[in-house]
Amino acid sequence: MITVAEHLENILSQVSRGATVLLPVPGAHGLVTVADVVSRADLPRFDNSSMDGYAVRREDLIGVTAETPRLIPVVGDIAAGDAPAHQHVEGKAWRIMTGAPMPEGADAVVPVEDTDGHVREAQFRAEPSEGANIRRAGEDVRVGDVVVPAGTRLGAAQIAALISAGVQEVEVVSPVRVAILSTGDELVQFGEEVGEGQIVDSNGPMLEALVREAGFYPVFVGNLPDDEAVTRKEIRRHLDYADAIITTGGVSMGAYDIVKKVLAGEGSMEFLQVQMQPGKPQGFGLLGKRNVPVFTLPGNPVSALVSFEVFVRPALLKVAGRSESSDTTTGYAMTSWRTSPERETYTRVRLSRDATGAYAVTPGGAGSHLLGGLAMADALAVSHADDDQVVAGSEVQLHFLRPRAEVDARLDAQGQASGEKGEGR
């Protein structure tokens, strides 16, 4: 057997960043830039007012205070989006709206709050400083400035900045498409009638959700029978377009472990035993002309989920060009539990808070086929291979299965509810 770290290192040494593609900026959301993206326009594009008020010449208001106000005629209005250029008139003012272009010759904007707000002749009650409340052209970004560096995952803020900067298309790492195949004659798809000896395939939909939650693009192919020819043909078909393939089932030591029989000796495929519980039987390799990463995961649902979190997710992140650390932290065991000797153990746990506010960790079911405990789990508690138990009160490493913010929100709500009950006694 090899260690978890060795298997992950082997996977990451084989996978590489995916191909690049040129996409319209709005369509590149969630993807990673492959080069610095520079601005094609000054931002702001023109001098404009940062607030509603009056565009003036500062020298026309020298000495003005609330006690010594001054009346100035208003030439007219300038609204945001006004196209014609306006000329300032000495001794007069323009009523101007937020974002509207400054009239040529004006050098300050007096907020409407410092006036009486009249339309034809306004009373000014404050002396502005030069350049007050004016956004100058190019003060944010100049043509040629880097707006988004290489290696940046494009979020909402980056999309807005690029569009504002006049960028139409951006070169990014291609969306990662992941084909998912469940194997086994015993499986029926969701929504189909379940006969004797059959089970509903939960792995396929679960992996589809995991891929989508990680920010990639799943293609759930469905269920494959225990037939070598059908399995071989189906896997080869997806090598033409997929950026990764995940199979579940058929990789252990049984007589009907078809995936292992079909893929053994193909490309760089290796089937091995990993020092982990659950998830011991694993397979990985690059197949086809495009060197598509193929992950063959165990068929037990918990084993498949743990295998995805430990091996598949980090590899897909590398293919997508994304640099992300896993969402991990520590907590303290509320009780003792046994772990698998000589294997890194991933125990499903539920979290609460202890008296100090730290995470308090309670184990769930241990079987790799048990789904009830998985549905209630907040995280995986990771135990080292040289440990045979987790001792109550000891610190444990946690790998979140739910967004941490959701877990914290639930715990905060529970804490508030407990406090309210305590006050009511």
Side-chain angles (χ1 to χ4, degrees), residues 379-400:
L380 298 170
V382 186
S383 308
H384 297 296
D386 52 359
D387 297 330
D388 60 2
Q389 69 172 328
V390 172
V391 179
S394 64
E395 187 177 55
V396 293
Q397 182 181 353
L398 299 172
H399 179 106
F400 281 92

Side-chain angles (χ1 to χ4, degrees), residues 332-338 349 360-364 389-394 396:
Y332 295 90
M334 293 287 285
T335 183
S336 300
W337 68 83
R338 302 291 300 177
V349 295
V361 182
T362 303
Q389 69 172 328
V390 172
V391 179
S394 64
V396 293

Side-chain angles (χ1 to χ4, degrees), residues 9 170 176 179 219 225 232 289 332 422:
E9 182 181 3
V170 61
V176 177
V219 180
R232 181 178 292 107
K289 296 178 181 178
Y332 295 90

Side-chain angles (χ1 to χ4, degrees), residues 104-425:
E104 200 170 323
D107 59 9
V109 172
V110 178
V112 70
E113 298 93 322
D114 291 333
T115 73
D116 62 3
H118 284 190
V119 176
R120 295 186 178 178
E121 186 176 50
Q123 183 187 76
F124 291 80
R125 301 162 184 164
E127 176 186 333
S129 59
E130 186 173 351
N133 306 311
I134 298 175
R135 303 170 180 147
R136 295 296 184 187
E139 70 177 15
D140 182 15
V141 175
R142 291 284 185 186
V143 172
D145 286 352
V146 174
V147 182
V148 176
T152 301
R153 190 180 182 198
L154 297 177
Q158 291 75 34
I159 295 293
L162 291 174
I163 290 174
S164 297
V167 179
Q168 298 291 317
E169 295 180 316
V170 61
E171 188 177 12
V172 291
V173 181
S174 295
V176 177
R177 296 159 296 182
V178 184
I180 301 163
L181 303 94
S182 301
T183 65
D185 285 337
E186 75 278 14
L187 299 178
V188 297
Q189 292 193 42
F190 168 74
E192 294 182 355
E193 186 175 345
V194 183
E196 286 206 26
Q198 294 182 316
I199 59 174
V200 179
D201 173 31
S202 61
N203 281 351
M206 177 184 71
L207 286 166
E208 183 180 9
L210 285 168
V211 168
R212 186 178 292 109
E213 287 174 0
F216 307 115
Y217 300 85
V219 180
F220 178 41
V221 177
N223 311 124
L224 295 180
D226 290 324
D227 183 293
E228 290 186 38
V230 172
T231 299
R232 181 178 292 107
K233 180 179 179 180
E234 190 67 19
I235 291 175
R236 286 179 176 174
R237 182 169 74 87
H238 299 293
L239 292 174
D240 291 336
Y241 75 90
D243 300 297
I245 295 174
I246 304 173
T247 70
T248 60
V251 294
S252 193
M253 308 295 289
Y256 292 94
D257 287 325
I258 298 300
V259 172
K260 190 173 181 179
K261 290 182 180 180
V262 166
L263 296 183
E266 296 285 331
S268 65
M269 284 298 304
E270 285 186 286
F271 293 90
L272 33 79
Q273 307 290 304
V274 180
Q275 291 175 328
M276 64 187 297
Q277 174 64 36
K280 179 180 173 183
Q282 296 286 333
F284 173 78
L286 304 181
L287 294 183
K289 296 178 181 178
R290 299 170 55 245
N291 287 325
V292 176
V294 177
F295 303 86
T296 61
L297 309 184
N300 282 321
V302 181
S303 299
L305 182 141
V306 171
S307 299
F308 180 90
E309 293 294 335
V310 176
F311 301 123
V312 183
R313 185 190 295 266
L316 295 181
L317 289 173
K318 185 173 181 181
V319 174
R322 287 163 50 186
S323 299
E324 298 178 21
S325 58
S326 59
D327 193 1
T328 60
T329 188
T330 58
Y332 295 90
M334 293 287 285
T335 183
S336 300
W337 68 83
R338 302 291 300 177
T339 60
S340 183
E342 300 184 353
R343 292 200 231 173
E344 197 165 293
T345 305
Y346 297 82
T347 305
R348 286 149 283 165
V349 295
R350 186 76 167 168
L351 302 181
S352 57
R353 298 269 192 206
D354 65 15
T356 70
Y359 290 119
V361 182
T362 303
S368 61
H369 64 293
L370 300 176
L371 284 170
L374 181 62
M376 296 298 293
D378 294 314
L380 298 170
V382 186
S383 308
H384 297 296
D386 52 359
D387 297 330
D388 60 2
Q389 69 172 328
V390 172
V391 179
S394 64
E395 187 177 55
V396 293
Q397 182 181 353
L398 299 172
H399 179 106
F400 281 92
L401 294 176
R402 305 174 189 268
R404 185 170 179 174
E406 291 183 9
V407 174
D408 288 342
R410 189 196 82 230
L411 299 183
D412 290 344
Q414 290 174 347
Q416 291 173 3
S418 297
E420 290 170 0
K421 287 181 180 179
E423 291 173 3
R425 289 174 184 163

